[in-house]
């Protein structure tokens, strides 16, 4: 078996963008260092070899409350060695608080361990000494308490443990416990309308969104439909159960998505583009079944797309490169992302017709709170926001695509829509779009997932005179 070793640098194949240069690169590196510091602070510490058994992570205390440092124990082999080499000598172990978020003490009476000396009880540095054997020391270690003395909503205390020349780091997570956020979907016979809300965004395509609403009303007459609309000459969308939210003209795709997301009151949301059409194969109950499976543990379930001639595909455009998995590599200069070679990571045991992936078409059902917790949609992206969303939630949401549910894609376009969609209305948006993606995701480079725009942008750069 070959072990995968990450190199110090990374690069992206095929049509790519990056890296940033000049002042933008300097600002990105500064922000990345701050992000990395916070990320390392919140990550689980690494356990090291030592003569003492301990928990490197997993010990949690409420702010201003106490917790036992469970798992502390000198190894059996060390106990035996100490019995031979250190008989009659004092054994000493020291605990020191490095973050000064709490104190340490031994919860025991002098009568319990008359041959044990404790110094610095209820201070930032605790020292335990015994002239007895190591078994006695182990008994005392079972009574070491950490007491949080400084109120923080979330912090990490690092405790330095010194023993026999070894330096060991113990970690206590100080965290205010959060209340659960439960969603009452009502009785099971209440229908899917109590569990799912359809969300979409429209811009200058009333013929498309009205067609979508009619198809939803036909198959699911009780579903609520939330529409974010930033068209110029606004029209009332036709149909039942439609909540139409008007926005400033051309405010942007992801601004609209966030508006729609903010108005979802059900446990689950179904996202669809406005030029999709429900058919007899658009069976939302099957998507809901996957999300509610306790063993599948999915956050987002995508369906398939029916193209011309009724052919079902995993992507909207089967002739273009289909992105389903995402290769993410971290190098010394930043991160690189590009289309993965794998068609899917695996087939799900619970649902053999579903495959675990990273990127899906814009026909998916998800847990509303999961999407909100992942950050929603990047409001800076005004004209494009499909694969970018899946890049942002990489590693946060569990995603699968299933072939037992599909929707029809019947593209409708017009001159105004096309100019904004391809950023022809303001070509400088293309460069801002690319630079924003590079900066915010700490990218050294990324493979283009929008070739039409990317090729135009790269050609423009070639034509620019060099400084």
């Amino acid at each position: 078996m070959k072990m995968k070793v990450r190199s110090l640098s990374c690069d992206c194949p095929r049509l790519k963008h990056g890296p940033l240069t000049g002042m933008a690169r300097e600002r990105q590196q500064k922000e990345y260092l701050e992000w990395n510091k916070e990320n390392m602070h919140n990550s689980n510490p690494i356990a090291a070899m030592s003569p003492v058994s301990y928990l490197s992570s997993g010990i949690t205390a409420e702010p201003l409350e106490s917790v036992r440092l469970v798992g502390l124990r000198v190894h059996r082999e060390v106990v035996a060695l100490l019995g031979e080499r250190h008989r009659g000598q004092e054994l000493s172990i020291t605990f020191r608080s490095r973050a000064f978020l709490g104190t340490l003490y031994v919860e025991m009476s002098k009568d319990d361990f008359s041959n044990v000396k404790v110094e610095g009880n209820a201070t930032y540095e605790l020292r335990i000494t015994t002239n007895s054997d190591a078994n006695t020391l182990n008994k005392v270690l079972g009574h070491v308490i950490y007491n949080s003395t400084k109120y923080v909503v979330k912090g990490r205390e690092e405790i330095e443990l010194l023993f026999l020349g070894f330096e060991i780091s113990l970690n206590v997570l100080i965290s205010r416990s959060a209340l659960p956020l439960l969603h009452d979907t009502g009785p099971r016979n209440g229908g899917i309308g109590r569990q799912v809300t359809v969300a979409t965004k429209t811009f200058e395509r009333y013929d498309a969104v009205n067609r979508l609403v009619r198809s939803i009303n036909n198959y699911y007459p009780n579903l609520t439909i939330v529409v974010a609309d930033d068209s110029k000459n606004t029209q009332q969308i036709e149909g039942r159960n439609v909540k139409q939210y008007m926005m400033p003209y051309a405010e942007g795709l992801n601004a609209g998505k966030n508006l729609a997301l903010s108005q979802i009151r059900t446990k689950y949301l179904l996202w669809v583009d406005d030029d999709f059409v429900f058919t007899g194969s658009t069976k939302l109950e099957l998507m809901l079944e996957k999300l509610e499976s306790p063993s599948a543990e999915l956050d987002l379930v995508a369906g398939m797309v029916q193209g011309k001639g009724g052919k079902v595909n995993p992507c909207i455009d089967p002739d273009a490169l289909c992105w389903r998995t995402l290769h993410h590599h971290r190098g010394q200069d930043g991160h690189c992302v590009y289309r993965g070679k794998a068609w899917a990571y695996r087939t799900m045991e619970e649902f053999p017709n579903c495959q675990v992936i990273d990127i899906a078409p814009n026909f998916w059902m998800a847990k509303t709170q999961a999407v909100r917790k992942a950050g929603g949609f990047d409001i800076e992206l005004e004209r494009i926001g499909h694969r970018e969303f899946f890049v942002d939630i990489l590693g946060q949401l569990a995603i699968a695509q299933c072939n037992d549910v599909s929707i029809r894609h019947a593209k409708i376009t017009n001159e105004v829509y096309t100019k904004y969609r391809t950023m022809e209305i303001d070509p400088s948006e293309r460069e801002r779009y690319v630079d924003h993606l590079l900066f915010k995701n700490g990218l050294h480079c990324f493979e283009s997932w929008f070739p039409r725009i990317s090729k135009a942008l790269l050609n423009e750069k070639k034509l620019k005179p060099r400084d």
Side-chain angles (χ1 to χ4, degrees), residues 26 57 139 147 161 233 236 247 299 325 359 397 425:
E26 293 179 14
S57 63
K139 292 179 181 179
N147 179 45
L161 187 154
N233 299 313
Q236 184 69 36
M247 305 167 61
D299 299 302
T325 62
I359 299 178
L397 302 188
I425 199 75

Side-chain angles (χ1 to χ4, degrees), residues 386-435:
H386 172 206
R387 294 185 180 93
E388 296 81 356
F389 166 69
F390 289 98
V391 170
D392 285 346
I393 66 172
L394 185 68
Q396 297 187 68
L397 302 188
I399 303 169
Q401 186 176 29
C402 307
N403 63 15
D404 55 351
V405 183
S406 62
I407 196 168
R408 183 163 65 90
H409 178 233
K411 186 176 180 179
I412 292 179
T413 189
N414 56 64
E415 185 178 355
V416 175
Y417 174 86
T418 300
K419 283 184 177 180
Y420 277 92
R421 180 76 169 96
T422 58
M423 305 183 200
E424 292 177 13
I425 199 75
D426 181 5
S428 66
E429 280 190 325
R430 299 169 182 169
E431 189 166 354
R432 291 199 302 270
Y433 156 78
V434 168
D435 288 350

Side-chain angles (χ1 to χ4, degrees), residues 46 91 113 140 154 176 195 222 298 315 345 357 360 376 383:
I46 300 173
L91 298 176
F113 299 99
V140 181
K154 190 171 185 179
R176 188 71 190 268
Q195 299 173 282
N222 296 322
L298 290 170
C315 299
Y345 293 113
I357 58 172
R383 311 301 165 216

Side-chain angles (χ1 to χ4, degrees), residues 41 68 83 89 96 147 205 256-257 293 311 326 342 413 448:
H41 178 74
R68 191 180 303 276
Q89 297 182 23
R96 291 174 182 163
N147 179 45
R205 293 204 297 188
K257 283 187 171 184
S293 169
K311 187 177 180 181
L326 187 71
T413 189
S448 170

